[in-house]
Amino acid sequence: MKKIIIASLVLTSALLTSCDEKDTANVSKITNYPIITVSGDDPYFVPQGTTYVDPGAVAMEGSNEIDVTTTAAGKYRGGTTLDTNITDEYLVTYTATNADGFDGTANRKVIVYKTGDLVTSIEGVYTCTISRNGVTPSAAYQNIKYIYIWKNTDGTYQISDAFGGWYEYGRALGIGYITPGGKIAGDIPSNTFTFPGGPLTNVGFGGTANITDVQVNPVTKKIVLTCAWLAPPATSYTFVATLTQVQL
């Protein structure tokens, strides 16, 4: 009887040891993902030609502060750094990596701008209400933030999206559905313009588009821009963008 009891205890001990090793083999450890808090304004407006000092961001891994790396890219003009000499909407990205190699990110929008007087310059940051084929726009197509007009080195002006954000913002399809390249030249006080950038095309849908008219009102700080689009396979649309200059 004593031999049987001893043998049973040895077997039970072996089973418990084996079970313990198996249960602890795949236990997951806890990791604290980086939590990033952006300091300062968002969006952050910077006058063209001035110095931008980034307010920064703070990254925490649990109760410990960790390093943050910062990158920037221009949205409409293709810059890979934030250049305050070039009007654009820049996305500043803050990234932090925790001890286990997991990343956290946060973003800030930085807008480099120049505000023209709408007599000698139509540069500026604009909100936009956009209609298509005369249809009164719903709320998604009103007070769109933002459409940009900048001055090129050849003296022409250029708009960030000749469709006034109809697809990028109104339909929420993003920058892959803008109509870029719309250039404007001419005499601002007399509202006499030409459009040397055409024909244009929508990045996402294709087709052929042309700016056909621009009317500038320096008193109301508004520009009305008309753009005609022959969408594939053969559908005609006319966009009328009422742009209101943001007074910065």
Side-chain angles (χ1 to χ4, degrees):
M1 181 64 70
K2 290 182 179 179
K3 291 181 179 180
I4 295 173
I5 292 172
I6 292 170
S8 297
L9 289 172
V10 171
L11 179 60
T12 302
S13 177
L15 288 172
L16 289 173
T17 302
S18 175
C19 182
D20 183 66
E21 289 176 352
K22 184 177 180 180
D23 288 347
T24 59
N26 296 309
V27 172
S28 299
K29 62 183 283 189
I30 295 174
T31 188
N32 291 304
Y33 285 87
I35 303 298
I36 302 176
T37 302
V38 176
S39 305
D41 293 341
D42 182 19
Y44 194 110
F45 291 91
V46 182
Q48 181 179 313
T50 64
T51 300
Y52 170 65
V53 179
D54 195 294
V58 176
M60 301 297 294
E61 181 181 353
S63 59
N64 298 318
E65 186 173 345
I66 57 177
D67 292 339
V68 176
T69 59
T70 304
T71 58
K75 185 175 183 180
Y76 297 105
R77 304 182 70 181
T80 56
T81 60
L82 200 159
D83 187 345
T84 62
N85 293 309
I86 297 177
T87 295
D88 202 353
E89 179 182 304
Y90 293 87
L91 183 67
V92 176
T93 300
Y94 306 96
T95 304
T97 305
N98 73 1
D100 297 314
F102 293 101
D103 289 340
T105 62
N107 299 308
R108 184 202 313 276
K109 184 186 298 183
V110 176
I111 296 169
V112 177
Y113 71 93
K114 185 173 182 180
T115 303
D117 59 9
L118 299 188
V119 176
T120 60
S121 171
I122 59 172
E123 295 169 277
V125 178
Y126 293 84
T127 59
C128 179
T129 294
I130 179 78
S131 66
R132 189 178 73 173
N133 288 358
V135 175
T136 301
S138 64
Y141 302 87
Q142 299 182 44
N143 197 35
I144 289 171
K145 296 180 180 178
Y146 293 104
I147 303 298
Y148 305 96
I149 296 178
W150 59 84
K151 192 171 186 177
N152 296 313
T153 55
D154 63 2
T156 63
Y157 297 92
Q158 190 164 327
I159 189 166
S160 56
D161 181 7
F163 289 179
W166 179 274
Y167 292 108
E168 180 185 4
Y169 293 109
R171 291 282 178 84
L173 294 178
I175 193 170
Y177 288 85
I178 67 170
T179 301
K183 291 185 177 182
I184 302 165
D187 182 69
I188 299 170
S190 66
N191 280 316
T192 304
F193 297 104
T194 59
F195 312 105
L200 313 174
T201 190
N202 183 271
V203 175
F205 294 118
T208 302
N210 288 283
I211 299 173
T212 59
D213 187 59
V214 170
Q215 295 293 313
V216 180
N217 189 326
V219 177
T220 61
K221 302 297 182 183
K222 293 183 184 295
I223 296 175
V224 178
L225 181 145
T226 303
C227 187
W229 181 39
L230 182 61
T235 306
S236 296
Y237 296 102
T238 298
F239 296 93
V240 178
T242 299
L243 304 166
T244 303
Q245 189 184 60
V246 180
Q247 299 305 296
L248 296 166

